Amino acid sequence: MSSQQNNSSQSYFVEFDNICQYFPGVKALDGMSFGVKEGSVHALMGENGAGKSTLLKVLSGINQPTKGELIINGEKVKFTNETDSLNHGIAIIYQELNLIPELSVAENIFLGQLPTKGGRVDYAKLNQMAKVQLERLGENIDPSDSVKNLSIGQWQMVEIAKALSRDAKIIAFDEPTSSLSQREIGNLFKVIEELRDQGKVIFYVSHRMEEIFRISDALTIFKDGTHVETFYDLSKLTNDRLVSLMVGRELKDIYNYREREMGIEGLAVKNILGPGVSEPISFSIRRGEILGLFGLVGSGRTELTRLLFGAEPRQQGDIAVDTYPVKVNSPIDAIKAGITYCPEDRKLSGILPILSVQENMNVTARRNNLQFGSLIDEKWEHKNADEKVKNLKVKTPNLEQKIGNLSGGNQQKIPRPLAFNSYESANSG
């Protein structure tokens, strides 16, 4: 443990003692040791793939550590499954939501603990119980509505309500605000502060610095599966210091911005309109330029990108790539025109979880690299996937590993389909 932790008089409610989690070819966690106080919000910080979510899976019983001890309230515990963890008063709200779309909001919140009457589910009581949990979060969602009809932000709030309904002593939030509006974030923080005041142990994972310093009492920094340092007094920690500890070096320019010469107009959009975009939108981006899209949940950011990719039908509007007009009526049209898409929900739309890392990396580029017009070029696919895994620093034991077995951060790096570099090359044969 770091010097900030090494205090024999300090009592922790949760302790990780030399936790190691090894997978074939990967040390996801290596000697992780720190303690968490009762009645505190403890942030877990680190780059994608640093081991934050893996540690939460150890806490939840999904993963059994290769080595090390998990100590809760002074007692060494071993969880063989999620039920063991739940029975010890632990609730985890994962970054990847685990709701059943066809069931109602109320059924999802109380799944496994549905109230019954006369041997049947008491839906009146169930919906009332769910309403109480949703109102606690400031949400006006119909408990009887199917989850499939909700927005991603509402899914997140239902997942949080599900965890809170179990009245857990230890609650972990893994990137909880990634899909929430400012109003929903404010309501969530109020609930977290109430839970802390009740003596709960809160784990909080986020990449948003302002949230960490606003809501957290203590903070542990991860890097490549190892413990870097734990701070119990955040007044001694600055943004710059936090970032440098996360990446392992001093950063004078976090964004590495340099003046550069812009190229030709790479993408031009004129008067685009479609589902989720109620007013015509026009913009252009030059080669070498990054354009940010900002707005609250439901403002149309995701819908706009889906229109550009042909995943939703446009009602009107024109698209040009490298000054050439293109017709984008489907994702295949978009890929041929040099437009690719990394979706908001990688689990649902970005990956094929039962296929390998190599197959996911190559699936959209395969048609351009076939042998004799129809045979998969295994040599090229292996070489291409190997290069991309190294360039993106994807942590995987091998290219044959199922992508669903990787951490969320490493899954995010892989849906990066290759496409033509420009409309001109797409039409040159």
Side-chain angles (χ1 to χ4, degrees):
M1 292 187 180
S2 73
S3 58
Q4 289 214 30
Q5 293 177 255
N6 192 14
N7 184 348
S8 58
S9 65
Q10 178 63 65
S11 176
Y12 300 113
F13 192 85
V14 179
E15 294 180 72
F16 301 97
D17 184 10
N18 194 37
I19 296 291
C20 299
Q21 183 74 70
Y22 301 152
F23 301 107
V26 174
K27 291 183 178 180
L29 294 172
D30 193 19
M32 186 64 64
S33 297
F34 66 96
V36 181
K37 300 176 184 178
E38 190 173 16
S40 70
V41 178
H42 196 108
L44 306 180
M45 294 291 289
E47 296 180 288
N48 283 341
K52 306 181 297 295
S53 295
T54 302
L55 187 72
L56 294 185
K57 288 181 179 179
V58 169
L59 184 63
S60 72
I62 291 178
N63 291 349
Q64 288 72 52
T66 309
K67 292 196 303 183
E69 299 284 352
L70 174 60
I71 303 168
I72 296 179
N73 199 19
E75 175 190 357
K76 293 182 180 180
V77 297
K78 289 186 178 180
F79 300 144
T80 58
N81 52 49
E82 288 181 274
T83 301
D84 284 351
S85 177
L86 286 170
N87 290 338
H88 273 78
I90 299 171
I92 313 290
I93 303 162
Y94 292 106
Q95 182 180 3
E96 295 181 346
L97 306 180
N98 293 300
L99 301 179
I100 302 175
E102 300 302 326
L103 295 184
S104 73
V105 170
E107 288 169 324
N108 270 280
I109 292 175
F110 290 97
L111 193 62
Q113 48 180 347
L114 300 174
T116 59
K117 184 177 182 181
R120 296 184 179 183
V121 175
D122 186 344
Y123 281 101
K125 183 177 181 180
L126 173 64
N127 288 333
Q128 180 58 38
M129 290 165 58
K131 185 178 180 181
V132 170
Q133 294 298 332
L134 292 166
E135 288 179 346
R136 182 181 182 186
L137 292 169
E139 288 296 311
N140 185 27
I141 300 174
D142 184 351
S144 63
D145 197 6
S146 293
V147 166
K148 66 182 179 181
N149 297 327
L150 305 183
S151 68
I152 290 294
Q154 290 174 319
W155 274 53
Q156 183 73 70
M157 297 305 278
V158 171
E159 190 75 69
I160 293 170
K162 177 181 173 182
L164 297 181
S165 72
R166 299 184 179 276
D167 194 28
K169 174 66 177 180
I170 302 168
I171 306 172
F173 295 85
D174 190 0
E175 300 276 3
T177 61
S178 58
S179 301
L180 301 185
S181 67
Q182 286 301 120
R183 178 190 65 81
E184 290 168 329
I185 291 172
N187 290 337
L188 174 61
F189 284 178
K190 288 180 182 178
V191 171
I192 290 176
E193 289 166 356
E194 290 174 4
L195 294 170
R196 176 182 58 196
D197 294 343
Q198 294 168 12
K200 309 285 189 181
V201 176
I202 309 295
F203 288 89
Y204 193 85
V205 179
S206 178
H207 288 98
R208 299 178 177 180
M209 301 286 183
E210 69 279 5
E211 291 183 4
I212 293 299
F213 285 99
R214 173 181 171 184
I215 200 70
S216 303
D217 302 299
L219 182 151
T220 292
I221 301 170
F222 292 56
K223 180 169 174 54
D224 298 329
T226 63
H227 174 264
V228 177
E229 192 165 352
T230 293
F231 292 85
Y232 294 103
D233 182 358
L234 298 190
S235 67
K236 300 178 181 179
L237 185 63
T238 64
N239 277 17
D240 289 347
R241 179 63 174 155
L242 173 56
V243 173
S244 67
L245 288 170
M246 286 170 54
V247 302
R249 65 184 189 279
E250 295 295 332
L251 294 182
K252 296 182 179 179
D253 183 354
I254 292 178
Y255 300 103
N256 195 31
Y257 177 77
R258 298 290 183 273
E259 290 290 342
R260 68 199 73 182
E261 184 177 346
M262 299 298 176
I264 64 172
E265 189 176 70
L267 176 68
V269 176
K270 185 176 181 181
N271 293 328
I272 195 168
L273 191 65
V277 178
S278 57
E279 295 184 6
I281 293 178
S282 301
F283 61 87
S284 64
I285 315 171
R286 292 175 292 174
R287 281 187 169 269
E289 189 173 25
I290 298 173
L291 175 66
L293 302 177
F294 289 86
L296 299 177
V297 174
S299 62
R301 299 163 304 169
T302 299
E303 291 79 3
L304 173 61
T305 56
R306 288 179 60 82
L307 288 172
L308 294 177
F309 193 61
E312 297 288 348
R314 292 197 319 279
Q315 296 171 3
Q316 68 174 54
D318 300 311
I319 300 174
V321 175
D322 287 348
T323 72
Y324 290 88
V326 295
K327 292 183 179 180
V328 179
N329 297 316
S330 68
I332 291 178
D333 291 342
I335 292 171
K336 287 182 178 180
I339 301 172
T340 60
Y341 180 56
C342 289
E344 178 181 28
D345 189 336
R346 64 169 172 266
K347 186 176 181 180
L348 180 66
S349 308
I351 64 172
L352 301 169
I354 63 172
L355 297 186
S356 69
V357 170
Q358 177 168 309
E359 289 172 302
N360 272 272
M361 192 71 79
N362 291 313
V363 66
T364 58
R366 179 170 289 163
R367 66 171 61 86
N368 304 321
N369 296 278
L370 297 173
Q371 288 183 318
F372 309 112
S374 61
L375 299 178
I376 293 175
D377 188 340
E378 294 284 356
K379 184 177 180 180
W380 178 87
E381 294 212 350
H382 182 86
K383 179 176 181 293
N384 178 61
D386 187 56
E387 288 177 352
K388 295 300 181 293
V389 164
K390 289 177 180 176
N391 291 342
L392 295 170
K393 298 180 181 179
V394 177
K395 286 188 176 181
T396 177
N398 51 61
L399 299 179
E400 287 69 46
Q401 176 69 268
K402 288 183 179 179
I403 190 173
N405 293 335
L406 302 189
S407 70
N410 285 294
Q411 288 179 10
Q412 185 69 40
K413 295 177 182 179
I414 291 175
R416 185 174 181 254
L418 292 177
F420 297 105
N421 288 326
S422 67
Y423 179 73
E424 185 173 20
S425 62
N427 287 274
S428 62

